[in-house]
């Protein structure tokens, strides 16, 4: 009557601090900060031609993105997403998370904090 499947257990990944992380993102002018960040999830779709297309999950803010410990890992993931994409312009790019950090300034001109 009902089908129940337990998700496969995976060890917890070490969370990379945002200040040291690299992110995979694509420019999207209509997004809140102009970018959509890969969040680590994906949906696989099999086409009638027998090909598999990946639809990557997206996040609007760097803090919600999947963090990579180094640029090489992020480049490999961006290449994989671009290879499986229907877009021919290879839109997924790698940027250090610090590139998306915004300095918050109070009306008095004092620095408040850094937010990504």
């Amino acid at each position: 009557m009902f089908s129940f499947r337990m998700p496969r257990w995976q060890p917890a990944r070490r969370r990379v601090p945002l200040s040291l992380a690299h992110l995979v993102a694509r420019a999207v002018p209509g997004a809140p900060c102009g970018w959509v960040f890969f969040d680590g999830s994906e949906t696989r779709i099999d086409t009638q031609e027998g090909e598999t297309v990946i639809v990557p999950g997206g996040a609007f803010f760097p803090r919600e993105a999947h963090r990579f410990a180094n640029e090489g890992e992020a480049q490999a993931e961006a290449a994989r997403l671009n290879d499986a994409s229907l877009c021919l312009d290879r839109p997924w790019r790698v940027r250090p998370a610090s590139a998306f950090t915004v300095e918050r300034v109070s009306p008095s001109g004092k620095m408040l904090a850094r937010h990504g």
Side-chain angles (χ1 to χ4, degrees):
M1 183 182 243
F2 290 100
S3 175
F4 181 76
R5 289 178 39 197
M6 289 294 291
R8 200 174 67 184
W9 181 84
Q10 294 182 1
R13 293 183 68 166
R14 185 177 60 101
R15 185 91 167 150
V16 178
L18 190 59
S19 61
L20 302 175
H22 284 77
L23 307 178
V24 175
R26 63 185 292 171
V28 177
C33 72
W35 293 84
V36 169
F37 303 93
F38 177 56
D39 69 3
S41 68
E42 60 187 43
T43 301
R44 293 178 173 269
I45 299 173
D46 295 321
T47 65
Q48 292 179 347
E49 292 81 26
E51 296 180 22
T52 300
V53 177
I54 295 174
V55 179
F60 286 128
F61 302 101
R63 290 192 180 279
E64 301 168 344
H66 181 79
R67 301 172 190 182
F68 294 90
N70 62 56
E71 187 176 5
E73 289 177 10
Q75 289 287 0
E77 188 66 7
R80 186 183 73 83
L81 294 173
N82 284 324
D83 289 346
S85 173
L86 294 176
C87 301
L88 299 177
D89 62 345
R90 301 186 68 77
W92 293 101
R93 295 177 175 84
V94 174
R95 299 280 188 270
S98 60
F100 302 103
T101 302
V102 177
E103 301 288 340
R104 303 281 183 182
V105 179
S106 71
S108 66
K110 290 184 179 180
M111 184 87 59
L112 295 177
R114 293 177 67 115
H115 294 283

